[in-house]
Amino acid sequence: MAPIDDSHDARITPASPANVAELLNHAWQHDLAALKPLLRVPGPASVQDPKTGETPLHAAIRACGPAADASASSPDVVAKAAAVVSELFMSGAIWNDVDSNNETPGCVAARLGLEPLYTACMEAGVRAELLFGLLDGYEELESEAAEDEMLNADEEGGGDEAPELTTATAAGEASNGQAKANEEDEEEETNIVESDPDRAFKPPTDPHTVTSRDYLQSSLTYTEDGKLLDSSDNGVMMAWETSIMRASVDSLLTPALPSGKKILNIGFGMGIVDSMFAATSPARHHIIEAHPAVLEHIRTNSDPTCSSKDTSRNFGASWEAKGSEEGAYKVHAGRWQDIVPQLMEAGETYDAVYFDTFGEDYAQLRHFFTEHVPYLLTETGAFGFFNGLGADRKICYDVYTRVAEMHLSDAGLDVEWQELDVDMKRLGEEGKGDWEGVKRRYWTLDKYRLPRCTLMG
Ligand SMILES: C[S@@+](CC[C@H](N)C(=O)[O-])C[C@H]1O[C@@H](n2cnc3c(N)ncnc32)[C@H](O)[C@@H]1O
C-alpha cells in the first residue's frame, strides 16, 4: 500500500467548495478564533472535502504531523489542536467519519502517535454511542404501537436491526464480531449524504453488512482448512480463533476447569468452544444454534466415538444421550431470542454462559446481557462473549470496550478484561494467509480483550 500523503495540498483540494475549504483551513491552522463563529450553526463541524473526505477533525489532527517529529508536533501544537478538536466535538463533529484513506480522525491520531488527540476522539465516540443507545431506548417507549412494531420485527428475525450503532456505520463495522450492521441505518445515512453537498464524499470502503435475517437464510460451507463461510464468503467462524476460545473457556471455568458444571453456549459455529466445554465433563451442557445448515452439520456428522478431530462432529444424538438425564446435554435448535426465555421459564441456571453469534449487532448482545444474563447465572457463575465489537479498527474496538463496560455495569455485571496477543503473522493482510477465500478481514488488531463478567456483589 502506498504511504499516506498527509500534506495540506494533498488533503484540501481545489475541488473543495469554498465554505468547506475555509473550515478545513481554519482547522488545519488551529485557528480557533476564526473557526468558532462558523460553528455557531449546525453542520459546519462535519463538512467533508468531496474528494479526500477530509473533515475539520482530520485536518486539525493531521496538521500536527507525527509525534515522533518533535519540531512539527510540539506539545504546544498538540494542545492547540486539542482545543480545536474539543470545539469541533461540541459543535457536532462526527467521531468516526472515514476519509479517502479509510481513516477516521482517531485513526490518523493513532498513526501519527498523537495520544491526547486519539483519547479525545475515543471519548467522543463513547459519548456518541452512549447517547445513541439512550435515544434508542426513549424511542422504544414512545408509544404502545411502536413497542408492538419492535416486538414484531424481533419475532420476524429483524430484531437485530435496532438502530443502536447508527454513528458507527460511518466507519464500517462496530459490531459483535464478524460483519454485522444495519440496513435501515445505511439507507438513512446515504440519504443524508445525498441531500447535503457539504458531505458529498463517498467513502472508499463498502461496510459489507450482513443482517441476521439474510445470514440465517444463507447457505454455509465448512472448508477443509478450518473456516465456516456464508454464501458471500463472509467468515462466520475461523480456526485462528481457537486460542481465543481456549482462553475464554479457561477464564469461565476457573480454577482448573472443574467438572460437573452447568454450561450454556450460544452459537455453535465450528463447535470449537463446545468441544472445550464438553471436555470438562459438565453436569449440564446446553447449546443454542439457529442456522439450519449448522444444525444439519451437527446432525449428519455426529461421530459416536466422539474422537473425531473435526470437533464440530461430536455433538449429535450420541452426545445428547451421554447426559446424566434427559435434556442434560442438548442442542436447542432456534434463535436464542426464542430459546432463552424458555430456558429461563424452566428455571435453568448456569455456572458458565458464553455468547458468540453472527450477523447480529451490539444491540442484541446488550439485550442479551441486560435482560437475560443476570437471571441465567448462578451466584458464582461467569459470563463471557466473543469480543469482536469494532475489531476491524482500533478506535472502534476501544470505544466499544468502554461502551460495553458501562452497559454491563448498568446490567449489574462486573467485567474484568484479559488482554491476549493475536498472532498477526497469518492475519495481517486482506485476502492472504488465513484470510484467503474470506471476503473481509474482520479482525485487524494485535490484541484481543477477553471479557469475564460476574454478578455484582
Ligand atoms: C461465530 S459462530 C460461533 C463459533 C463458536 N464459538 C465456535 O467455537 O465454533 C456463530 C454461530 O452463531 C449462530 N447464530 C447466529 N445467530 C444466532 C441466533 N440468533 N441464535 C442462535 N445462534 C445464532 C450461527 O449460526 C453460528 O453458528
Side-chain angles (χ1 to χ4, degrees), residues 215 236 267-273 289-291 336-337 356 360:
Y215 164 69
V236 177
F268 180 81
M270 289 166 56
I272 298 172
V273 87
E289 172 55 50
H291 200 297
W336 64 263
Q337 291 87 341
D356 179 12
E360 298 190 319

Side-chain angles (χ1 to χ4, degrees), residues 178 180 212 215-216 220 222 228 235-238 241-242 245 265-276 288-292 294 311-312 332 334-339 354-360 364 386 442:
Q178 299 90 326
K180 303 139 197 182
S212 176
Y215 164 69
L216 292 175
L220 300 181
Y222 285 87
L228 175 58
V236 177
M237 181 65 185
M238 293 174 67
E241 295 174 47
T242 300
M245 296 300 131
N265 176 48
I266 297 177
F268 180 81
M270 289 166 56
I272 298 172
V273 87
D274 280 305
S275 302
M276 295 170 181
I288 303 178
E289 172 55 50
H291 200 297
V294 175
T311 51
S312 67
H332 294 271
R335 297 168 69 238
W336 64 263
Q337 291 87 341
D338 301 321
I339 304 286
Y354 192 65
F355 183 99
D356 179 12
T357 65
F358 180 83
E360 298 190 319
Q364 290 297 295
F386 178 72
Y442 59 80

Side-chain angles (χ1 to χ4, degrees), residues 343-402:
L343 295 175
M344 282 168 50
E345 213 173 298
E348 297 281 358
T349 56
Y350 302 91
D351 301 301
V353 175
Y354 192 65
F355 183 99
D356 179 12
T357 65
F358 180 83
E360 298 190 319
D361 65 18
Y362 173 66
Q364 290 297 295
L365 171 64
R366 182 184 173 194
H367 180 81
F368 178 71
F369 68 63
T370 304
E371 301 298 328
H372 301 306
V373 170
Y375 310 100
L376 288 170
L377 282 184
T378 58
E379 216 175 299
T380 54
F383 161 64
F385 55 91
F386 178 72
N387 185 14
L389 304 166
D392 55 355
R393 195 180 288 275
K394 177 177 158 46
I395 188 154
C396 292
Y397 200 61
D398 288 346
V399 164
Y400 275 88
T401 299
R402 189 79 193 105

